[in-house]
Amino acid sequence: MAQQTADFIIIGGGITGVSAAYQLAQRGHRVTLLERNYLAAGGTGRTVGLIRTHYSNEITVQMALRALHVWRDFDQVIGGDIGWMPAGALFIVGPHDLEGLQANIAMQRQAGVNVEFLDTQGLRALAPYLNVEDVGGGAYEPDSGVADGAMATNAYAERAKALGATILQGVEVASICAEGGRVTGVQTTGGMFSAPVVINAAGPWGARLTQTVAEVDIPVENSRHQVAVFQRPENLAEPQHPFIGDFIQGFYIRPETGLLTLAGSLEASEAANKVDPDHFSESVDMDFNIDMAERTEHRVPAMCDAQIRKGWAGLYDVTPDWHPIIGRIPGVDGLICAFGFSGSGFKMAPVIGEMIADLATGDQQCPIDSHPFRLERFAEGDLVVGRYAYSIIG
């Protein structure tokens, strides 16, 4: 393949990369996106696709709300089918966490989030199948929902291509190239691609690629996260239940079409499941299935008759504060990184694409500044810290 040039090269064909490609192409720039396998081959293709605004600090709430407005009306705003399901989202806590939950709800409402507090009576009215004996209350977001990671990625990619972006699959980036402290492009299995700005959106491979050109400490660990799948029994009449984040037991359940329910962990200890992103089991462990089944049955007793279906495992690229790295890399002009999303990358993607485009062009169109997510915050001790003890939620 002959050498190619662009204004911007994006590494990674997950939701972050294609969102950035769309934003830059929309602004009239020449964009080339390079994906080593196929679009959504990494974490995006294995996401449970939750779109929520339930975060515990102001900046992530603002980001999630702005992103929700895009996801909810994606076909009108961007164009294409993302498999949107307006399921709603419910987050429940024990009695000892009620004060924190209510403070969080107040902060979210001030930011413009449509959220309400539900006591146990309200929870029974919303979801009469729930066991609320150990529940203090919940936060309910009726506007939240779920989407399909692969469908959303391909929808973004198609719009980016329609705007002139070049998207190449099966082209692996081996290294990022620079001369005199300035990015010149990338070396790939298909030859050299040249550009004055490179955007590293390679997810679990992002830190490794950054270190091919920059001697920087990047505190990102890759961990394996499993998703159990259950076939709901006939005696559970609900055709669809909301996403339920159960902070009491540290897990979630999420509705899926075909009367399926997905379940996974909300415990920060999940980050300890460190793996090589090129060599890990993508199947779910039976012990995990059983654990999730027991937690699910406790919260929804009617699920005692559910059947276990085939689940999967994907990757999180986790930072120490469970928030992403979005910003320029010190010492290498023209290198921008956007990875370390710690499980929240999919839902934030519309805003992340805007932030990346702002950084790349110097033209700030997104009202939310990416500065808090710079790499330097770790050395400076200026972490992005939420109010919750549940760091995986943010």
Side-chain angles (χ1 to χ4, degrees), residues 37-243:
N37 291 317
Y38 53 87
L39 296 180
T44 300
R46 296 172 179 84
T47 180
V48 296
L50 171 63
I51 312 296
R52 60 170 166 101
T53 51
H54 192 87
Y55 284 85
S56 63
N57 59 57
E58 288 82 354
I59 188 170
T60 45
V61 169
Q62 292 166 4
M63 291 169 66
L65 182 59
R66 185 172 176 84
L68 172 64
H69 291 157
V70 175
W71 289 126
R72 193 178 53 192
D73 301 311
F74 191 89
D75 194 30
Q76 291 73 40
V77 177
I78 308 294
D81 184 5
I82 62 169
W84 172 254
M85 184 192 305
L90 173 66
F91 299 87
I92 57 174
V93 301
H96 65 285
D97 278 333
L98 269 182
E99 184 178 347
L101 179 72
Q102 290 173 325
N104 210 39
I105 289 173
M107 181 268 291
Q108 291 170 354
R109 284 177 173 166
Q110 189 171 11
V113 174
N114 179 18
V115 58
E116 60 179 311
F117 172 75
L118 297 179
D119 58 16
T120 53
Q121 184 176 351
L123 290 169
R124 289 191 183 97
L126 174 71
Y129 44 83
L130 290 181
N131 168 21
V132 296
E133 291 179 357
D134 55 349
V135 177
Y140 179 56
E141 301 175 355
D143 298 337
S144 294
V146 294
D148 183 278
M151 291 176 67
T153 300
N154 281 282
Y156 257 123
E158 288 303 313
R159 289 296 297 130
K161 287 191 290 185
L163 291 167
T166 298
I167 295 180
L168 301 177
Q169 302 177 66
V171 178
E172 181 173 0
V173 174
S175 62
I176 301 168
C177 304
E179 290 181 7
R182 177 79 202 185
V183 160
T184 57
V186 297
Q187 185 64 48
T188 79
T189 52
M192 178 71 182
F193 286 75
S194 299
V197 178
V198 170
I199 296 156
N200 181 352
W205 299 269
R208 186 168 69 195
L209 277 171
T210 300
Q211 289 167 335
T212 64
V213 70
E215 294 183 4
V216 290
D217 180 30
I218 303 176
V220 175
E221 298 279 1
N222 297 313
S223 62
R224 175 174 173 260
H225 290 257
Q226 301 181 75
V227 179
V229 179
F230 305 124
Q231 180 78 52
R232 296 199 290 275
E234 293 182 2
N235 62 328
L236 185 57
E238 293 291 323
Q240 178 179 298
H241 58 78
F243 173 95

